[in-house]
Amino acid sequence: MANQPIYKADIQIPADVFKEAKEAGPNDKGLYTITASFWNNDRRQNERQPNYTGQVQVKGKRDGAKGYCSMWDNSGGTPAAVGASSASSEVPF
């Protein structure tokens, strides 16, 4: 897997999301913000299916138009279980 990126994402955005982003306007740097949220893909049945799936929408527009996103984890690790604590918060000694 040396030639593969650690993470790869596929994002599908309908025109309505772009319209809402234009209506919301750019931030102070002149950029538009679209948020992607990912969850563990519990329905994954083989390696070709994404490890995570989720939605894409304009930041701050909870009830606005939504797109879809998928992400693959090529790092070789397994996704953390829901509610698992981070190892970095544990004292190593």
Side-chain angles (χ1 to χ4, degrees):
M1 286 193 206
N3 294 330
Q4 291 185 356
I6 295 174
Y7 300 102
K8 179 182 172 190
D10 178 34
I11 303 170
Q12 300 171 354
I13 304 173
D16 291 343
V17 173
F18 290 115
K19 289 177 189 173
E20 286 184 4
K22 185 177 180 181
E23 289 171 7
N27 63 16
D28 57 345
K29 295 180 181 179
L31 303 173
Y32 296 84
T33 303
I34 296 175
T35 303
S37 302
F38 293 91
W39 291 269
N40 287 330
N41 183 5
D42 297 332
R43 297 179 180 165
R44 185 173 192 232
Q45 295 177 354
N46 63 54
E47 290 181 0
R48 294 179 162 241
Q49 292 178 318
N51 299 80
Y52 307 95
T53 58
Q55 66 186 25
V56 179
Q57 63 192 100
V58 175
K59 184 177 181 177
K61 290 276 206 170
R62 291 187 88 177
D63 296 327
K66 292 178 178 58
Y68 301 96
C69 52
S70 301
M71 189 173 77
W72 289 261
D73 180 353
N74 297 317
S75 67
T78 56
V82 176
S85 63
S86 171
S88 64
S89 66
E90 296 176 9
V91 179
F93 42 92

